Amino acid sequence: MASPKSWVPIPPKSDFSIANIPFGIITSRNSQTQKRPAVAIGDHALDLLAFSKGNGFSKLPSVDVSVFEQPTLNDFAALGRPVHREVRKYLQDILSESTSYPEILKDNAELQKAALLPKGEFKNHLPMKIGDYTDFFAGRNHAVNLGSMFRDPKNALQPNYNHLAVAYHGRASSVVVSGTHIRRPNGQILLDPTKPTEPTFAPCRFLDIELELAAFICKPNDLGEPIKIKNAADHIFGYVLMNDWSARDIQKFEYVPLGPFTAKNFGTTVSAWVVLADALEPFRADKLKSEIPPPKYLTEERDDTVYDIKLEVDLTTPDGGTTTISRVSGKNLLWSFPQMVAHHTVGGCNLGVGDLFGSGTISGTREERDDLGSMIEMNQQGKREIQLAGMDVRKFLKDGDTITIRGTCGGEDGALVGFGECTGTIESAVVYD
């Protein structure tokens, strides 16, 4: 079924076709301090506060428009997926060439001027107030690739991996929106592996990326009340791209026995626009096959509970040379996000609106040289160099390098569903006297 055309001009390769309608938070040139919700359409943002004040939602009286006065999407998300679906469909109609209500916006030049902001007239901000952040390890290929580096490949996966969705709790305060610079962390590293009790305090030398998808929670649960797998999808608001920056040398020294800490908490980047779960429905795909059946509380009714999102990672050096260093599908997950929700709450943990779940690094099987989601996999634990444009090379990131993650689905008839960019540039470490 062909996607409807929009009266708003949309570039053919835009992530934000009328088939998408992702939500975000913006400020504008004329209102630089008031953060408010918007949706992306082509190279424009529809300011939902201005749209609401101009009676844009007059044909949708059931929706509480006060949520569009808030500086985050949390209140809108908390209305639940049926409301998200209703609002998205309404906005698709309003922006359609054959809109049912041309008087609302298409033929209303005054409201267009106030609410339909062209690129360059608005700035994106973190879309949600994040209460908690959990990063999973659901990319089975990544887990196998790393495990094979550090152990016998026959025992690449830890014994628990196929039984549950492994995760660690991250730091919500250092999750930042795309475009925010990331400062290289300092920490304790082992310069001489033959002296395991003599670390050196220094800037990270093995600064890495982790290509991930992430989901925001929209529906809380009470403490002590697990979320059943059959209901778990109703708790997911939408999805973003994520880069869980990783200091591999700091991590190597500190992770025993409790796992990642300062090697992970210095910065996590997410894309600015939240792609609603409904927008990804046409792109469902089967999860990776597990070696054993999951336990009953994680058993889904269908296998196609992940998404075939075309993911790419670009590395741009300080001199401006750009190389695509990874191309991989988002379907390379063993555990789906609904399974992550069910497992996270099985012991009674209460989730909150705005909580962020990361998928873990998404990688292919190494059969292709460019289908890996982290540099430590690409360089085979420092054994090979990653070739870049202009005869440049990398093993890990240097100061001034910029990483850009992109993700798109579809594209037939101009109906591209994408996330925009998830980008960050590395700044030099703090100098200690």
Side-chain angles (χ1 to χ4, degrees):
M1 181 177 178
S3 176
K5 303 296 183 182
S6 176
W7 55 265
V8 179
I10 300 176
K13 294 185 178 181
S14 172
D15 283 9
F16 308 128
S17 72
I18 197 169
N20 193 349
I21 312 296
F23 287 72
I25 293 293
I26 65 166
T27 53
S28 66
R29 182 171 294 180
N30 296 329
S31 182
Q32 298 182 19
T33 59
Q34 186 175 22
K35 296 179 181 178
R36 66 271 195 193
V39 296
I41 181 73
D43 286 340
H44 291 73
L46 179 62
D47 179 340
L48 295 182
L49 176 58
F51 182 70
S52 174
K53 287 183 175 180
N55 295 316
F57 286 103
S58 59
K59 304 298 183 180
L60 197 65
S62 60
V63 174
D64 178 6
V65 295
S66 68
V67 298
F68 302 124
E69 300 173 4
Q70 304 305 314
T72 70
L73 292 175
N74 291 55
D75 284 4
F76 173 64
L79 296 178
R81 283 190 63 173
V83 175
H84 309 156
R85 184 175 299 120
E86 186 179 19
V87 171
R88 175 173 171 267
K89 286 184 177 179
Y90 177 74
L91 292 175
Q92 284 177 312
D93 186 343
I94 291 295
L95 295 166
S96 170
E97 179 65 45
S98 56
T99 176
S100 307
Y101 312 107
E103 73 279 6
I104 294 290
L105 191 63
K106 182 182 178 183
D107 297 340
N108 187 337
E110 183 177 355
L111 186 54
Q112 282 189 40
K113 183 178 180 180
L116 195 60
L117 307 177
K119 187 177 181 179
E121 294 291 322
F122 63 90
K123 178 182 178 181
N124 289 101
H125 299 272
L126 198 65
M128 306 282 282
K129 181 179 179 181
I130 304 170
D132 279 299
Y133 156 47
T134 302
D135 196 23
F136 285 82
F137 195 44
R140 186 180 186 276
N141 295 327
H142 173 70
V144 169
N145 293 340
L146 284 189
S148 297
M149 292 179 193
F150 302 119
R151 294 182 294 277
D152 182 342
K154 295 180 181 179
N155 298 311
L157 295 177
Q158 298 286 3
N160 66 346
Y161 190 84
N162 290 301
H163 294 266
L164 52 84
V166 176
Y168 76 92
H169 285 284
R171 181 70 182 175
S173 64
S174 53
V175 178
V176 296
V177 73
S178 175
T180 306
H181 285 204
I182 299 295
R183 187 177 292 277
R184 182 180 297 274
N186 289 289
Q188 296 187 53
I189 60 179
L190 287 177
L191 297 180
D192 185 350
T194 67
K195 300 177 180 178
T197 60
E198 299 181 19
T200 299
F201 180 80
C204 167
R205 300 184 181 192
F206 299 161
L207 186 55
D208 201 353
I209 65 167
E210 291 196 351
L211 165 61
E212 303 193 27
L213 292 168
F216 281 110
I217 297 299
C218 65
K219 184 178 180 181
N221 62 302
D222 292 332
L223 181 66
E225 295 294 329
I227 297 171
K228 302 295 179 62
I229 187 66
K230 65 180 180 180
N231 302 321
D234 293 336
H235 292 256
I236 297 173
F237 174 45
Y239 297 86
V240 291
L241 305 174
M242 191 172 92
N243 186 350
D244 185 32
W245 306 90
S246 299
R248 298 297 185 189
D249 44 0
I250 296 173
Q251 182 179 358
K252 183 177 181 179
F253 185 67
E254 75 173 5
Y255 83 101
V256 178
L258 296 180
F261 186 31
T262 66
K264 295 280 193 176
N265 69 10
F266 61 93
T268 300
T269 303
V270 296
S271 51
W273 296 103
V274 182
V275 177
L276 296 191
D278 280 359
L280 294 175
E281 279 295 303
F283 312 105
R284 282 177 172 267
D286 288 353
K287 302 186 299 292
L288 297 178
K289 295 297 183 183
S290 178
E291 295 176 4
I292 61 171
K296 185 176 180 180
Y297 78 94
L298 293 178
T299 299
E300 296 177 288
E301 294 181 351
R302 51 196 294 181
D303 293 325
D304 60 339
T305 53
V306 296
Y307 304 105
D308 187 10
I309 302 168
K310 299 177 182 67
L311 299 166
E312 294 185 341
V313 180
D314 284 353
L315 193 159
T316 302
T317 59
D319 63 7
T322 297
T323 306
T324 300
I325 60 173
S326 182
R327 295 178 177 89
V328 66
S329 171
K331 65 184 180 181
N332 282 286
L333 296 174
L334 181 65
W335 302 102
S336 70
F337 280 95
Q339 286 176 311
M340 296 177 209
V341 169
H343 181 62
H344 201 303
T345 63
V346 68
C349 176
N350 53 323
L351 305 181
V353 176
D355 284 359
L356 179 67
F357 282 19
S359 64
T361 305
I362 300 174
S363 290
T365 60
R366 276 190 180 275
E367 293 178 3
E368 301 293 335
R369 301 290 288 184
D370 65 349
D371 66 349
L372 304 175
S374 66
M375 296 177 78
I376 194 171
E377 293 173 87
M378 298 174 199
N379 65 37
Q380 296 179 17
Q381 201 181 357
K383 294 186 175 89
R384 63 181 293 266
E385 293 180 323
I386 303 164
Q387 298 296 318
L388 304 180
M391 301 299 290
D392 209 344
V393 295
R394 289 288 186 277
K395 288 187 177 178
F396 292 97
L397 296 174
K398 294 184 178 181
D399 292 349
D401 285 348
T402 298
I403 290 293
T404 302
I405 299 173
R406 298 182 303 276
T408 56
C409 303
E412 297 80 9
D413 300 319
L416 201 64
V417 174
F419 293 79
E421 294 184 342
C422 177
T423 184
T425 300
I426 303 303
E427 293 183 338
S428 299
V430 171
V431 176
Y432 282 82
D433 295 332

